[in-house]
Amino acid sequence: MHRIVLIIFLAGAVIFGAWAAFEKTESTSDKEVNQAESGALINRLEKLNGSGILFGHQDDLAYGIGWKYQSGGKLDSDVKRLTGSFPAILGWDLGGIGTDKNLDGVLFQNMKDLIIRGDALGAINTLSWHPFLPNDATSSWDTKTKIVKELLPEGKYHQAFNDKLDEVAHFFSALKNKEGKPIAVIFRPWHEMNGSWFWWGAKHCSPEEFKGLFIYTVDYLRNIKGLNNLVIAYSPDRMFDDKASYLTWYPGDAYVDILGVDNYHDFTENGDGPEAVVNRLKLVVDIASAKGKIAAFTETGSDKLLDSSWYTQKLGKALYANDLTKKLAYVLVWRNRDKEHFYVPFEGHPAQQDFVEFTNRKDVLLLNDIKK
Ligand code: BMA
Protein backbone atom coordinates (compact mmCIF):
# COMPACT_ATOMS: atom_id res chain seq x y z
CA MET A 1 0.00 0.00 0.00
CA HIS A 2 2.73 2.40 1.01
CA ARG A 3 4.63 1.60 -2.18
CA ILE A 4 1.64 2.40 -4.32
CA VAL A 5 1.20 5.77 -2.59
CA LEU A 6 4.89 6.46 -3.06
CA ILE A 7 4.76 5.53 -6.76
CA ILE A 8 1.72 7.72 -7.34
CA PHE A 9 3.44 10.54 -5.46
CA LEU A 10 6.66 10.18 -7.47
CA ALA A 11 4.80 9.94 -10.76
CA GLY A 12 2.85 13.05 -9.82
CA ALA A 13 6.06 14.90 -8.92
CA VAL A 14 7.67 13.95 -12.25
CA ILE A 15 4.63 15.07 -14.24
CA PHE A 16 4.38 18.32 -12.27
CA GLY A 17 8.13 18.95 -12.70
CA ALA A 18 7.95 18.36 -16.44
CA TRP A 19 4.91 20.62 -16.72
CA ALA A 20 6.62 23.37 -14.71
CA ALA A 21 9.76 23.13 -16.87
CA PHE A 22 7.61 23.23 -20.01
CA GLU A 23 5.73 26.26 -18.72
CA LYS A 24 9.01 27.97 -17.98
CA THR A 25 10.58 27.38 -21.38
CA GLU A 26 7.29 28.32 -23.03
CA SER A 27 7.11 31.66 -21.28
CA THR A 28 10.83 32.39 -21.64
CA SER A 29 10.82 31.72 -25.35
CA ASP A 30 7.54 33.63 -25.80
CA LYS A 31 9.14 36.59 -24.16
CA GLU A 32 12.19 36.40 -26.38
CA VAL A 33 10.03 36.11 -29.47
CA ASN A 34 7.94 39.04 -28.29
CA GLN A 35 10.87 41.29 -27.60
CA ALA A 36 12.24 40.27 -30.96
CA GLU A 37 9.20 41.77 -32.71
CA SER A 38 9.67 45.45 -31.97
CA GLY A 39 13.44 44.91 -31.67
CA ALA A 40 13.62 43.40 -35.14
CA LEU A 41 11.81 46.37 -36.64
CA ILE A 42 14.17 48.78 -34.89
CA ASN A 43 17.14 46.78 -36.21
CA ARG A 44 15.68 46.75 -39.68
CA LEU A 45 15.18 50.52 -39.66
CA GLU A 46 18.74 51.00 -38.46
CA LYS A 47 20.15 48.69 -41.11
CA LEU A 48 18.18 50.26 -43.95
CA ASN A 49 19.36 53.65 -42.82
CA GLY A 50 22.75 52.99 -44.39
CA SER A 51 21.19 52.85 -47.87
CA GLY A 52 18.93 55.87 -47.81
CA ILE A 53 15.74 57.41 -46.50
CA LEU A 54 12.54 55.37 -46.71
CA PHE A 55 9.62 57.09 -48.41
CA GLY A 56 6.13 56.80 -46.95
CA HIS A 57 2.59 57.87 -47.76
CA GLN A 58 -0.49 58.08 -45.54
CA ASP A 59 -3.42 55.78 -46.45
CA ASP A 60 -1.49 54.80 -49.59
CA LEU A 61 -3.16 51.40 -50.12
CA ALA A 62 -6.61 52.48 -48.94
CA TYR A 63 -7.50 55.06 -51.58
CA GLY A 64 -6.10 57.59 -53.99
CA ILE A 65 -7.16 60.00 -56.69
CA GLY A 66 -10.18 58.40 -58.27
CA TRP A 67 -9.98 54.95 -56.66
CA LYS A 68 -10.74 53.17 -53.43
CA TYR A 69 -9.60 49.78 -52.15
CA GLN A 70 -12.29 47.11 -52.16
CA SER A 71 -11.99 44.48 -49.51
CA GLY A 72 -9.96 41.54 -50.79
CA GLY A 73 -9.27 43.28 -54.10
CA LYS A 74 -6.08 44.02 -56.01
CA LEU A 75 -3.69 46.40 -54.30
CA ASP A 76 -3.44 49.89 -55.74
CA SER A 77 -1.38 52.94 -54.80
CA ASP A 78 -0.90 56.46 -56.13
CA VAL A 79 2.82 56.11 -55.47
CA LYS A 80 2.97 52.88 -57.44
CA ARG A 81 0.93 54.31 -60.32
CA LEU A 82 3.71 56.84 -60.92
CA THR A 83 6.82 54.97 -59.86
CA GLY A 84 6.10 51.27 -60.32
CA SER A 85 6.61 50.63 -56.61
CA PHE A 86 4.58 50.85 -53.43
CA PRO A 87 6.10 53.14 -50.80
CA ALA A 88 8.39 51.59 -48.19
CA ILE A 89 6.44 53.15 -45.33
CA LEU A 90 2.66 52.90 -45.06
CA GLY A 91 0.94 55.46 -42.83
CA TRP A 92 -2.43 54.84 -41.10
CA ASP A 93 -4.51 56.54 -38.44
CA LEU A 94 -6.54 55.06 -35.60
CA GLY A 95 -8.81 58.08 -35.03
CA GLY A 96 -12.33 56.70 -34.67
CA ILE A 97 -11.26 53.32 -33.33
CA GLY A 98 -14.22 51.57 -31.78
CA THR A 99 -16.42 52.44 -34.78
CA ASP A 100 -16.24 50.81 -38.20
CA LYS A 101 -14.38 53.60 -40.06
CA ASN A 102 -11.50 55.88 -39.13
CA LEU A 103 -11.76 59.66 -39.26
CA ASP A 104 -10.80 59.68 -42.93
CA GLY A 105 -13.26 56.99 -43.96
CA VAL A 106 -10.96 53.94 -43.95
CA LEU A 107 -12.76 50.84 -42.71
CA PHE A 108 -10.77 49.42 -39.81
CA GLN A 109 -11.26 45.96 -41.26
CA ASN A 110 -9.60 47.12 -44.50
CA MET A 111 -6.86 48.92 -42.58
CA LYS A 112 -6.05 45.71 -40.74
CA ASP A 113 -5.99 43.66 -43.96
CA LEU A 114 -3.87 46.25 -45.75
CA ILE A 115 -1.36 46.47 -42.90
CA ILE A 116 -1.04 42.69 -43.05
CA ARG A 117 -0.77 42.66 -46.86
CA GLY A 118 1.72 45.53 -46.80
CA ASP A 119 3.83 43.77 -44.19
CA ALA A 120 3.83 40.57 -46.23
CA LEU A 121 5.25 42.56 -49.15
CA GLY A 122 8.00 43.95 -46.92
CA ALA A 123 6.65 47.43 -46.20
CA ILE A 124 6.78 49.05 -42.75
CA ASN A 125 3.56 50.32 -41.20
CA THR A 126 3.24 53.40 -39.00
CA LEU A 127 0.07 54.40 -37.16
CA SER A 128 -0.82 57.79 -35.77
CA TRP A 129 -3.92 58.39 -33.69
CA HIS A 130 -6.31 61.33 -33.88
CA PRO A 131 -8.46 60.19 -30.96
CA PHE A 132 -11.85 61.59 -30.19
CA LEU A 133 -12.44 62.83 -26.67
CA PRO A 134 -13.73 60.13 -24.39
CA ASN A 135 -16.52 62.45 -23.25
CA ASP A 136 -19.20 63.81 -25.54
CA ALA A 137 -17.03 65.54 -28.15
CA THR A 138 -16.08 63.92 -31.38
CA SER A 139 -12.79 65.25 -32.62
CA SER A 140 -9.11 65.70 -31.81
CA TRP A 141 -9.51 69.38 -32.69
CA ASP A 142 -12.16 69.98 -30.02
CA THR A 143 -10.21 71.87 -27.39
CA LYS A 144 -13.11 73.22 -25.34
CA THR A 145 -12.34 71.14 -22.27
CA LYS A 146 -9.03 70.54 -20.57
CA ILE A 147 -9.32 66.84 -20.40
CA VAL A 148 -5.85 65.28 -20.26
CA LYS A 149 -5.64 64.98 -16.50
CA GLU A 150 -9.15 63.52 -16.42
CA LEU A 151 -7.89 60.60 -18.48
CA LEU A 152 -5.18 59.68 -15.99
CA PRO A 153 -5.76 57.53 -12.88
CA GLU A 154 -8.25 59.24 -10.50
CA GLY A 155 -9.58 61.34 -13.40
CA LYS A 156 -13.25 61.53 -14.36
CA TYR A 157 -12.73 59.81 -17.70
CA HIS A 158 -10.07 57.35 -16.68
CA GLN A 159 -12.23 54.29 -17.24
CA ALA A 160 -13.45 55.63 -20.59
CA PHE A 161 -9.83 56.16 -21.59
CA ASN A 162 -8.89 52.61 -20.58
CA ASP A 163 -11.79 51.36 -22.68
CA LYS A 164 -10.43 53.34 -25.66
CA LEU A 165 -6.96 51.91 -25.10
CA ASP A 166 -8.50 48.44 -25.00
CA GLU A 167 -9.88 49.07 -28.49
CA VAL A 168 -6.48 50.27 -29.68
CA ALA A 169 -4.83 47.21 -28.13
CA HIS A 170 -7.40 44.94 -29.73
CA PHE A 171 -6.53 46.37 -33.15
CA PHE A 172 -2.78 46.01 -32.61
CA SER A 173 -3.11 42.46 -31.33
CA ALA A 174 -5.00 41.45 -34.48
CA LEU A 175 -2.01 42.35 -36.65
CA LYS A 176 -0.58 38.91 -37.32
CA ASN A 177 1.26 37.56 -40.33
CA LYS A 178 0.69 34.28 -42.20
CA GLU A 179 2.68 32.37 -39.63
CA GLY A 180 0.49 33.83 -36.90
CA LYS A 181 3.32 36.01 -35.58
CA PRO A 182 2.55 39.57 -34.41
CA ILE A 183 3.49 42.24 -36.95
CA ALA A 184 5.68 44.99 -35.54
CA VAL A 185 4.48 48.51 -36.34
CA ILE A 186 5.45 52.07 -35.47
CA PHE A 187 2.91 53.70 -33.15
CA ARG A 188 2.98 57.50 -32.99
CA PRO A 189 0.45 58.66 -30.42
CA TRP A 190 -0.11 62.22 -29.16
CA HIS A 191 1.70 63.87 -32.05
CA GLU A 192 2.18 67.63 -32.55
CA MET A 193 1.70 68.21 -28.82
CA ASN A 194 3.66 71.48 -28.94
CA GLY A 195 0.95 73.01 -31.10
CA SER A 196 -2.45 73.75 -29.57
CA TRP A 197 -4.81 72.50 -32.27
CA PHE A 198 -5.35 69.12 -30.60
CA TRP A 199 -6.84 68.69 -27.13
CA TRP A 200 -3.57 67.17 -25.86
CA GLY A 201 -1.66 70.22 -27.16
CA ALA A 202 0.53 72.70 -25.31
CA LYS A 203 -2.19 75.11 -24.20
CA HIS A 204 -4.53 72.41 -22.98
CA CYS A 205 -2.34 70.53 -20.55
CA SER A 206 0.97 70.95 -18.75
CA PRO A 207 4.08 69.14 -20.02
CA GLU A 208 3.88 66.97 -16.89
CA GLU A 209 0.29 65.99 -17.65
CA PHE A 210 1.24 65.32 -21.24
CA LYS A 211 4.14 63.09 -20.23
CA GLY A 212 1.78 61.29 -17.85
CA LEU A 213 -0.60 60.66 -20.73
CA PHE A 214 2.14 59.37 -23.03
CA ILE A 215 3.70 57.15 -20.38
CA TYR A 216 0.31 55.80 -19.32
CA THR A 217 -0.56 54.96 -22.93
CA VAL A 218 2.67 53.09 -23.63
CA ASP A 219 2.68 51.33 -20.25
CA TYR A 220 -0.92 50.25 -20.65
CA LEU A 221 -0.41 48.84 -24.13
CA ARG A 222 2.90 47.14 -23.35
CA ASN A 223 2.45 46.01 -19.78
CA ILE A 224 -1.28 45.66 -19.14
CA LYS A 225 -2.20 44.49 -22.63
CA GLY A 226 1.09 42.66 -23.19
CA LEU A 227 1.77 44.10 -26.65
CA ASN A 228 5.35 43.72 -27.75
CA ASN A 229 5.00 44.70 -31.37
CA LEU A 230 5.03 48.48 -30.91
CA VAL A 231 7.91 50.76 -31.83
CA ILE A 232 7.00 54.12 -30.31
CA ALA A 233 7.54 57.48 -32.03
CA TYR A 234 7.54 60.93 -30.40
CA SER A 235 6.73 63.67 -32.89
CA PRO A 236 6.36 67.32 -31.98
CA ASP A 237 5.53 69.87 -34.63
CA ARG A 238 8.09 72.42 -35.87
CA MET A 239 8.00 74.89 -32.96
CA PHE A 240 11.34 74.16 -31.31
CA ASP A 241 14.75 75.69 -31.77
CA ASP A 242 16.92 73.83 -29.34
CA LYS A 243 17.23 70.59 -27.51
CA ALA A 244 15.35 71.79 -24.43
CA SER A 245 12.32 73.00 -26.36
CA TYR A 246 12.25 69.80 -28.41
CA LEU A 247 12.34 67.69 -25.25
CA THR A 248 9.80 69.69 -23.20
CA TRP A 249 7.13 67.01 -23.67
CA TYR A 250 9.49 64.05 -24.04
CA PRO A 251 8.26 61.24 -21.81
CA GLY A 252 11.66 59.57 -21.40
CA ASP A 253 13.94 57.14 -23.20
CA ALA A 254 12.06 54.11 -21.87
CA TYR A 255 8.92 55.17 -23.76
CA VAL A 256 10.29 56.28 -27.11
CA ASP A 257 12.16 54.49 -29.90
CA ILE A 258 11.91 57.04 -32.70
CA LEU A 259 12.36 60.79 -32.41
CA GLY A 260 10.50 62.63 -35.11
CA VAL A 261 9.19 65.95 -36.28
CA ASP A 262 6.10 66.97 -38.23
CA ASN A 263 6.73 69.98 -40.41
CA TYR A 264 4.63 71.24 -43.29
CA HIS A 265 4.56 74.89 -42.41
CA ASP A 266 8.24 75.82 -42.84
CA PHE A 267 8.00 74.78 -46.49
CA THR A 268 5.22 77.32 -47.04
CA GLU A 269 5.50 81.06 -47.54
CA ASN A 270 4.28 81.74 -44.02
CA GLY A 271 6.79 79.42 -42.41
CA ASP A 272 10.38 79.97 -41.37
CA GLY A 273 11.73 78.73 -44.70
CA PRO A 274 13.71 75.75 -46.00
CA GLU A 275 16.73 76.49 -43.77
CA ALA A 276 14.47 76.15 -40.75
CA VAL A 277 13.29 72.76 -42.02
CA VAL A 278 16.92 71.66 -42.26
CA ASN A 279 17.91 73.09 -38.88
CA ARG A 280 15.02 71.40 -37.15
CA LEU A 281 15.73 68.07 -38.86
CA LYS A 282 19.38 68.36 -37.88
CA LEU A 283 18.41 68.99 -34.28
CA VAL A 284 16.16 65.93 -34.21
CA VAL A 285 18.88 63.71 -35.68
CA ASP A 286 21.41 65.11 -33.25
CA ILE A 287 19.20 64.49 -30.20
CA ALA A 288 18.21 61.02 -31.45
CA SER A 289 21.83 60.02 -32.20
CA ALA A 290 22.99 61.09 -28.74
CA LYS A 291 20.31 58.83 -27.28
CA GLY A 292 21.12 55.95 -29.63
CA LYS A 293 17.63 56.26 -31.17
CA ILE A 294 16.19 56.52 -34.65
CA ALA A 295 15.26 59.89 -36.19
CA ALA A 296 12.47 60.41 -38.71
CA PHE A 297 10.57 63.08 -40.61
CA THR A 298 7.28 61.73 -39.30
CA GLU A 299 4.97 63.99 -41.37
CA THR A 300 5.37 66.53 -44.10
CA GLY A 301 4.14 67.45 -47.54
CA SER A 302 2.86 70.21 -49.74
CA ASP A 303 -0.91 70.14 -50.14
CA LYS A 304 -1.92 70.12 -53.85
CA LEU A 305 1.76 70.52 -54.88
CA LEU A 306 1.31 74.00 -56.27
CA ASP A 307 5.09 74.15 -56.46
CA SER A 308 5.61 71.43 -59.05
CA SER A 309 9.27 70.89 -58.13
CA TRP A 310 8.57 70.58 -54.41
CA TYR A 311 9.86 67.02 -54.22
CA THR A 312 13.32 67.56 -55.66
CA GLN A 313 13.84 71.21 -54.76
CA LYS A 314 12.26 71.43 -51.31
CA LEU A 315 11.93 68.00 -49.74
CA GLY A 316 14.94 66.43 -51.48
CA LYS A 317 17.17 69.37 -50.62
CA ALA A 318 16.10 69.28 -46.98
CA LEU A 319 16.55 65.52 -46.60
CA TYR A 320 19.97 65.52 -48.19
CA ALA A 321 21.17 68.85 -46.86
CA ASN A 322 24.05 67.38 -44.87
CA ASP A 323 25.46 64.33 -43.11
CA LEU A 324 23.03 64.71 -40.23
CA THR A 325 19.81 65.02 -42.19
CA LYS A 326 20.84 62.00 -44.28
CA LYS A 327 20.55 59.90 -41.14
CA LEU A 328 16.76 60.27 -41.06
CA ALA A 329 15.24 56.80 -41.27
CA TYR A 330 12.11 57.80 -43.15
CA VAL A 331 9.86 60.55 -44.38
CA LEU A 332 6.06 60.31 -44.54
CA VAL A 333 3.85 62.55 -46.66
CA TRP A 334 0.13 62.90 -45.96
CA ARG A 335 -2.85 61.45 -47.75
CA ASN A 336 -4.36 61.73 -51.22
CA ARG A 337 -7.98 62.45 -50.40
CA ASP A 338 -8.98 63.90 -53.79
CA LYS A 339 -7.87 66.57 -56.27
CA GLU A 340 -8.42 69.27 -53.65
CA HIS A 341 -6.29 67.63 -50.94
CA PHE A 342 -3.31 65.46 -51.90
CA TYR A 343 0.43 65.17 -51.33
CA VAL A 344 1.54 62.69 -53.99
CA PRO A 345 0.89 63.77 -57.58
CA PHE A 346 -1.25 61.78 -59.98
CA GLU A 347 -0.96 60.97 -63.67
CA GLY A 348 -0.93 64.21 -65.67
CA HIS A 349 -0.27 66.53 -62.72
CA PRO A 350 2.54 69.09 -63.31
CA ALA A 351 4.55 67.65 -60.36
CA GLN A 352 4.54 64.10 -61.78
CA GLN A 353 8.01 64.17 -63.39
CA ASP A 354 9.60 65.82 -60.41
CA PHE A 355 8.12 63.23 -58.06
CA VAL A 356 9.43 60.42 -60.24
CA GLU A 357 12.85 62.05 -60.32
CA PHE A 358 12.86 62.35 -56.52
CA THR A 359 11.82 58.74 -55.96
CA ASN A 360 14.36 57.55 -58.55
CA ARG A 361 17.21 58.77 -56.39
CA LYS A 362 19.32 55.89 -55.14
CA ASP A 363 19.01 57.18 -51.59
CA VAL A 364 15.21 57.47 -51.65
CA LEU A 365 13.87 54.03 -50.84
CA LEU A 366 10.54 52.66 -52.02
CA LEU A 367 9.30 49.16 -51.34
CA ASN A 368 11.04 47.72 -54.41
CA ASP A 369 14.34 49.01 -53.02
CA ILE A 370 14.03 47.29 -49.65
CA LYS A 371 12.34 43.99 -50.44
CA LYS A 372 13.91 41.27 -48.38
C1 BMA B 1 -5.49 66.55 -41.90
C2 BMA B 1 -6.29 66.45 -43.16
C3 BMA B 1 -7.65 65.97 -42.82
C4 BMA B 1 -7.56 64.67 -42.05
C5 BMA B 1 -6.63 64.78 -40.86
C6 BMA B 1 -6.40 63.48 -40.17
O1 BMA B 1 -4.21 67.00 -42.19
O2 BMA B 1 -5.71 65.53 -44.07
O3 BMA B 1 -8.36 65.78 -44.02
O4 BMA B 1 -8.82 64.31 -41.57
O5 BMA B 1 -5.40 65.27 -41.30
O6 BMA B 1 -5.92 62.51 -41.05
Side-chain angles (χ1 to χ4, degrees):
M1 192 63 186
H2 263 93
R3 261 164 87 186
I4 293 172
V5 171
L6 189 67
I7 288 167
I8 292 173
F9 174 76
L10 285 176
V14 168
I15 291 168
F16 177 78
W19 172 77
F22 174 74
E23 272 286 295
K24 198 155 168 254
T25 44
E26 266 292 285
S27 61
T28 320
S29 67
D30 270 1
K31 213 162 151 201
E32 279 159 10
V33 167
N34 285 341
Q35 281 166 348
E37 287 149 16
S38 52
L41 177 51
I42 291 173
N43 290 343
R44 185 165 177 229
L45 285 165
E46 280 168 351
K47 247 211 199 115
L48 287 167
N49 196 220
S51 336
I53 299 175
L54 303 162
F55 181 77
H57 185 211
Q58 184 73 6
D59 287 344
D60 187 77
L61 303 178
Y63 55 84
I65 307 300
W67 64 271
K68 195 169 173 193
Y69 173 75
Q70 300 299 328
S71 171
K74 196 171 174 285
L75 289 181
D76 204 342
S77 149
D78 280 355
V79 171
K80 185 165 189 243
R81 285 184 178 204
L82 294 196
T83 67
S85 173
F86 294 113
I89 300 276
L90 303 172
W92 307 99
D93 195 277
L94 290 176
I97 191 84
T99 66
D100 60 338
K101 279 183 195 153
N102 89 339
L103 79 166
D104 295 324
V106 181
L107 285 167
F108 282 107
Q109 183 57 46
N110 284 351
M111 193 187 296
K112 188 189 109 192
D113 294 346
L114 290 169
I115 290 174
I116 294 171
R117 291 180 76 175
D119 177 79
L121 293 174
I124 294 165
N125 291 283
T126 173
L127 293 97
S128 49
W129 186 22
H130 286 83
F132 303 162
L133 285 170
N135 56 3
D136 54 353
T138 54
S139 127
S140 292
W141 291 267
D142 184 337
T143 55
K144 283 194 295 291
T145 39
K146 286 203 185 341
I147 200 178
V148 169
K149 80 169 182 298
E150 302 298 344
L151 305 187
L152 297 172
E154 321 281 290
K156 209 162 37 175
Y157 299 115
H158 184 57
Q159 190 49 49
F161 182 47
N162 282 347
D163 294 347
K164 233 343 111 196
L165 289 175
D166 287 343
E167 288 163 352
V168 170
H170 182 74
F171 185 86
F172 283 136
S173 64
L175 302 176
K176 299 232 169 85
N177 66 17
K178 265 207 320 280
E179 289 86 49
K181 298 225 172 85
I183 293 171
V185 296
I186 299 166
F187 182 41
R188 189 169 66 92
W190 313 122
H191 67 303
E192 301 173 10
M193 77 301 290
N194 52 345
S196 292
W197 42 89
F198 297 138
W199 52 257
W200 57 91
K203 286 202 183 125
H204 316 298
C205 61
S206 69
E208 286 320 306
E209 286 164 351
F210 177 84
K211 289 181 205 172
L213 180 72
F214 202 110
I215 290 170
Y216 187 85
T217 303
V218 175
D219 259 344
Y220 191 89
L221 296 176
R222 280 187 175 156
N223 301 328
I224 309 286
K225 304 307 286 187
L227 292 168
N228 290 288
N229 57 335
L230 305 180
V231 169
I232 306 292
Y234 168 76
S235 68
D237 205 86
R238 55 186 272 279
M239 293 83 74
F240 56 87
D241 286 302
D242 53 27
K243 191 173 165 194
S245 48
Y246 179 82
L247 293 175
T248 307
W249 293 267
Y250 187 67
D253 293 345
Y255 302 94
V256 176
D257 305 297
I258 297 179
L259 276 68
V261 52
D262 289 8
N263 194 352
Y264 297 82
H265 197 66
D266 285 332
F267 282 122
T268 70
E269 276 173 17
N270 303 323
D272 295 340
E275 319 76 55
V277 177
V278 171
N279 288 336
R280 287 172 173 145
L281 288 174
K282 257 166 62 185
L283 205 51
V284 174
V285 175
D286 223 6
I287 300 169
S289 304
K291 290 179 176 296
K293 307 223 179 248
I294 294 166
F297 202 170
T298 38
E299 264 187 57
T300 188
S302 169
D303 196 2
K304 292 199 273 287
L305 289 162
L306 299 175
D307 168 1
S308 60
S309 58
W310 185 82
Y311 272 98
T312 61
Q313 299 309 304
K314 298 280 170 52
L315 182 61
K317 288 200 168 150
L319 294 177
Y320 300 98
N322 55 52
D323 288 342
L324 276 179
T325 58
K326 278 182 204 160
K327 287 196 192 152
L328 291 159
Y330 68 88
V331 58
L332 177 91
V333 299
W334 210 240
R335 65 199 194 104
N336 276 15
R337 187 191 65 193
D338 52 33
K339 288 192 176 174
E340 296 308 312
H341 183 45
F342 62 90
Y343 293 85
V344 164
F346 44 88
E347 185 76 45
H349 185 277
Q352 177 178 355
Q353 260 327 102
D354 183 73
F355 178 71
V356 171
E357 198 182 309
F358 168 78
T359 52
N360 273 343
R361 285 181 67 132
K362 271 210 156 53
D363 46 13
V364 171
L365 307 176
L366 298 180
L367 181 59
N368 282 351
D369 305 313
I370 65 160
K371 272 192 181 155
K372 289 170 227 167

